[in-house]
Amino acid sequence: MSQRTARVERNTLETQITVSVNLDGTGQCKLDTGVPFLEHMIDQVARHGLIDIEIVAKGDLHIDDHHTVEDTGITLGQALAQAWGDKKGVRRYGHAYVPLDEALSRVVVDLSGRPGLVMDVEYTRAMIGGFDVDLFGEFFQGLVNHAMITLHIDNLKGKNAHHQAETIFKAFGRALRMAVERDDRMAGVMPSTKGSL
């Protein structure tokens, strides 16, 4: 059984980022981005997706978190795309509903080969601690564009912005886990009538 792992380095004048992933991991996560709340959220993806994720990011945080968050999404997307390769034998689609107290989110993913993000989330406040919630959109847009996936994110209920965000990232991890799982009935088969994704 082939290893579904990848390591990607991305260096710009704004950020220097290295991401390693193992799709068949145990949910281990090592993060050093300088953006603590982003790390808390990515840890949820690893834990609930059973994907090992390691990220080291150095960015222009003296300006703000924007470039680091967006470029982390881009680089993680590139690593995921490399790790799942041609996608033969995977389930392709994944979905999850995740609650946290009063909050509830639904995430649906398709390893379609076409980038698309639909995000219906109205956070109850603009900041979670020192983190600007607008940056979640930037993170997922970067990830989607470079992983080449279709991703629908809906926060269905929630009054606490931290809970809203956490349900989204947990549900994303669960949906991604389902989509990348090997399907014994599809072994070696492309999950598309087109013959490629």
Side-chain angles (χ1 to χ4, degrees), residues 8-18 56-63 66-72 74-75 78 146:
V8 173
E9 290 186 32
R10 184 176 190 274
N11 295 302
T12 72
L13 296 177
E14 298 167 338
T15 60
Q16 300 80 48
I17 300 174
T18 303
V56 176
K58 304 295 179 198
D60 52 4
L61 298 177
H62 60 285
I63 296 174
H66 188 287
H67 297 142
T68 300
V69 173
E70 179 180 21
D71 290 4
T72 297
I74 288 170
T75 313
Q78 291 172 334
H146 292 269

Side-chain angles (χ1 to χ4, degrees), residues 2-8 19-24 51-52 75-88 90 111 146-147 176 180 182:
S2 62
Q3 289 283 80
R4 299 190 301 167
T5 61
R7 184 176 186 275
V8 173
V19 174
S20 299
V21 298
N22 177 2
L23 299 183
D24 302 305
I51 298 170
D52 294 342
T75 313
L76 179 57
Q78 291 172 334
L80 290 169
Q82 282 189 26
W84 58 55
D86 66 11
K87 295 174 262 190
K88 285 183 179 177
V90 300
L111 308 186
H146 292 269
L176 194 59
V180 303
R182 290 186 171 99

Side-chain angles (χ1 to χ4, degrees), residues 68-116:
T68 300
V69 173
E70 179 180 21
D71 290 4
T72 297
I74 288 170
T75 313
L76 179 57
Q78 291 172 334
L80 290 169
Q82 282 189 26
W84 58 55
D86 66 11
K87 295 174 262 190
K88 285 183 179 177
V90 300
R91 296 191 185 280
R92 176 179 170 176
Y93 300 101
H95 59 87
Y97 285 82
V98 170
L100 175 56
D101 297 342
E102 88 300 340
L104 175 65
S105 291
R106 174 184 60 216
V107 174
V108 183
V109 64
D110 176 9
L111 308 186
S112 60
R114 298 180 305 278

Side-chain angles (χ1 to χ4, degrees), residues 34 44 47 55 64 69 89 95 100 123 125 128-129 131 171 176:
Q44 304 307 317
R47 185 70 49 89
I55 301 175
D64 72 2
V69 173
H95 59 87
L100 175 56
Y123 291 101
R125 62 180 190 268
I128 301 174
F131 189 89
L176 194 59

